[in-house]
Amino acid sequence: MGTTPHPQGRATGRRDPGTAVPLRAALAVLGALSLAVPGTTALAAPAPAARAAAHDPAPAQVAVINGDFRDPAFTADTDTGQVRGWTVTYPYRYGGKVSGHPDKVPALLLRNRTTDDHTVSQRLRGVRAGAQVTVTFDDSFGGSPSCPADQVSEGQPYTVQGEGGTREDRRTDARDRGWHLDRTYTFRASVHEPLLTFATTRSTGSWTCGPLIARVRAVQVPPPVDKTVPKDRLPEPVAYYGNEATTPKKVAEQCASGAAACVFRPDDAYSYRYYDTARTVGEAYVNCTRNTVRHDRPVVFGDRTLDSLSQSAGVDRLSNPQDNLRQQFVRATGWRWSSSSDRKIGETIEPGEVSWIEAQAGRQRTEGWFLTTGDDPDRQYRMHVTVDGPSLSLPDRIYQRTGPMTAAEKQRCRADRPSDTTPNGADAPADSNDRGA
């Protein structure tokens, strides 16, 4: 269990020449940065001049939980306890003293002692669907001298894949079993919080004979805000428990179990205000007379909130004012669930014109995450939702409109006045002496 991963080699600190990726120019100036959040690792954003030279959008840091595999801390040469933030069936970590890494950081073995599941995975939190993500990591040959001869001569195979991207085959450096630093992998996320997975592709030889990875970091270029999605077809909610996908219903029930069971965290970068499509309110008044018409018109107008939970998942908790889920959302956003307006407008309609009222609602769309409270990332429920409703700060627009009649309205105005036919004698002159029977 305490086998040193590099009994015959040395740490060379070899830098990956890399493959051509869109962020390569920007990543050239990136350095390792330890975030203030405990247990997370990310890259520093490049200098503005470097971004301008590369013609790339500014990459944003991705908080990889426990990307250096230090948590929980251990003092022995090796450790088999669960690794915070990562899904590993049988974790096996080498400490910095024996990993052979030039920076003496811990390393994680991509092999499993008990099953055929040789994967190590984590969901990249804060990454949106459509984002371009570049992952940087170090790899090395790991294991004892009893590794198969072909792995010694050719390097140890493994794969890396981000959800939405292609799975890439990689090999560790076989020349001297040294560390290959700053390897990169780029993909475009197909879901919010895509799953990043490393996996061994061969299981021959001792279970301790497998690739090592260390210092996993990431940056992303977030997608632009899409303001074309209509309010009655909001994006489907996604839900997770730790790194595992789950149903929105399950997370909603967990959050609704107590007033403080969850908090809502808005994603301000993808929340915005807008004016809805104008719609006609009430009737159109058609002035067929020869005179100007003046009168007071009652205008009643209202708007309501729509949410992705009820639209796509059949979960109506946000529509219930007494539900804890609704109250958690309102505490975070100060949301106004509905709006109404009841007023009178003085209208002046000239002869041969039509008058009508149009309303354009001021709305706001908020995206964000419901998160269960607590600091254990492996036991945290998370759910992404979208809510669209009356704006708190953008006033509705009421348009009083007048204009010429349509062809149909003109035809109606020229139509004869409805009247019954006159009985017999209609074509005879009136008789002034006829006073009736």
Side-chain angles (χ1 to χ4, degrees), residues 192-340:
H192 296 325
E193 296 194 355
L195 192 68
L196 174 66
T197 303
F198 296 91
T200 305
T201 57
R202 185 179 297 174
S203 57
T204 56
S206 169
W207 73 271
T208 60
C209 182
L212 297 175
I213 59 171
R215 294 198 314 148
V216 180
R217 296 146 288 158
V219 294
Q220 66 164 324
V221 177
V225 180
D226 184 1
K227 297 184 179 181
T228 65
V229 179
K231 64 180 185 297
D232 57 347
R233 291 192 296 275
L234 297 174
E236 293 187 9
V238 296
Y240 302 111
Y241 176 66
N243 291 323
E244 302 300 320
T246 186
T247 64
K249 181 179 179 181
K250 185 171 184 179
V251 179
E253 290 175 348
Q254 180 70 24
C255 289
S257 63
C262 287
V263 293
F264 181 77
R265 300 293 185 220
D267 189 345
D268 294 334
Y270 290 87
S271 301
Y272 57 91
R273 305 178 307 172
Y274 70 100
Y275 276 109
D276 203 359
T277 303
R279 71 175 191 259
T280 302
V281 178
E283 303 84 0
Y285 282 67
V286 182
N287 186 1
C288 292
T289 73
R290 297 184 177 90
N291 303 309
T292 299
V293 174
R294 294 181 177 86
H295 74 120
D296 290 335
R297 175 205 284 263
V299 176
V300 179
F301 171 72
D303 208 10
R304 64 189 181 93
T305 292
L306 303 172
D307 69 90
S308 60
L309 269 181
S310 59
Q311 284 183 4
S312 302
V315 179
D316 294 328
R317 290 187 175 276
L318 285 172
S319 61
N320 180 3
Q322 307 305 318
D323 195 280
N324 284 324
L325 197 72
R326 161 82 166 261
Q327 295 175 15
Q328 291 158 11
F329 181 84
V330 172
R331 279 198 298 270
T333 61
W335 200 262
R336 180 176 62 163
W337 222 257
S338 62
S339 65
S340 61

Side-chain angles (χ1 to χ4, degrees), residues 147-168:
C147 288
D150 61 343
Q151 291 194 30
V152 175
S153 61
E154 300 173 9
Q156 294 169 328
Y158 68 96
T159 63
V160 57
Q161 183 175 21
E163 197 167 1
T166 58
R167 185 176 66 179
E168 291 190 3

